[in-house]
Amino acid sequence: FHDDVEILEDDWDLRVLRHFDNYPACGLAGFGGGKGLGSDDIYKSPYSPHQLARQDFISNMVDAENHGKRFIGECNVAVLDGFALIVRREVLEKAGGWPLNTPIGYACYDYWLSCMTRRLGYRIRLVGVACEHLGGQTFVKLGIGKDPKHWQQYLDSHQYIYDEFRDVLPYEVP
């Protein structure tokens, strides 16, 4: 969880754990995400980082409608936002661990984990837990974004996702 997330629902952990207990195919769960990842023209037209945009974002954040639509239930999604990611350990083990020595860092770790989860044959579940993501608190405190290297890391990490996950992109939840 990001350090600027407030969970506003009692027993949220039981809701999440139920997915891992009842759905062996659940490899990743979180509180906000998109039903699609990657534009229809990805790999058909010249590369642009915008081709990796999430589609149809849903959550039960306090300001859900500012980001997409409010959703209080549980469903499959294509990608989760990094503010809340709960991963089955088996997924990380099968993936060979975190993608060290790659451009994945502050940017695109959520895309990497979502794509890797799908590549390994697991599902990604959104659990509509009531929460508030204050957004940007760590980013601002650390001064990330003021350094020109941040923009380059953003570009490099998107290029890495584009190059690495051709087998699972684009993807839209059926």
Side-chain angles (χ1 to χ4, degrees), residues 127-163:
V127 183
V129 170
C131 63
E132 183 169 13
H133 180 210
L134 300 171
Q137 301 303 308
T138 302
F139 190 87
V140 171
K141 286 178 188 171
L142 295 176
I144 297 171
K146 293 180 181 178
D147 187 335
K149 287 188 262 181
H150 177 258
W151 180 243
Q152 191 58 51
Q153 189 218 5
Y154 172 90
L155 294 174
D156 292 347
S157 61
H158 279 75
Q159 181 76 52
Y160 179 84
I161 297 296
Y162 176 88
D163 293 339

Side-chain angles (χ1 to χ4, degrees), residues 18-174:
R18 188 171 52 243
H19 282 292
F20 290 102
D21 289 341
N22 295 338
Y23 304 106
C26 177
L28 180 63
F31 300 163
K35 294 203 163 230
L37 177 60
S39 64
D40 290 339
D41 70 338
I42 194 170
Y43 308 120
K44 296 175 186 170
S45 60
Y47 167 72
S48 165
H50 299 291
Q51 292 172 327
L52 291 170
R54 297 181 301 225
Q55 288 95 42
D56 300 319
F57 191 85
I58 56 175
S59 73
N60 193 16
M61 292 188 290
V62 169
D63 62 346
E65 291 79 11
N66 292 339
H67 306 281
K69 293 182 182 173
R70 182 166 306 280
F71 184 79
I72 62 172
E74 293 91 20
C75 68
N76 292 328
V77 291
V79 61
L80 289 169
D81 188 282
F83 77 86
L85 297 172
I86 303 109
V87 62
R88 186 181 293 274
R89 182 184 179 113
E90 184 178 303
V91 170
L92 286 175
E93 289 171 347
K94 287 182 177 181
W98 205 250
L100 302 177
N101 303 312
T102 72
I104 302 302
Y106 193 82
C108 286
Y109 63 91
D110 45 2
Y111 283 18
W112 179 86
L113 190 52
S114 294
C115 288
M116 183 58 74
T117 298
R118 265 198 333 283
R119 177 182 279 169
L120 293 172
Y122 292 89
R123 290 199 177 137
I124 302 165
R125 299 285 291 175
L126 185 130
V127 183
V129 170
C131 63
E132 183 169 13
H133 180 210
L134 300 171
Q137 301 303 308
T138 302
F139 190 87
V140 171
K141 286 178 188 171
L142 295 176
I144 297 171
K146 293 180 181 178
D147 187 335
K149 287 188 262 181
H150 177 258
W151 180 243
Q152 191 58 51
Q153 189 218 5
Y154 172 90
L155 294 174
D156 292 347
S157 61
H158 279 75
Q159 181 76 52
Y160 179 84
I161 297 296
Y162 176 88
D163 293 339
E164 178 64 25
F165 291 106
R166 294 175 82 93
D167 59 319
V168 294
L169 290 173
Y171 182 75
E172 188 172 332
V173 173

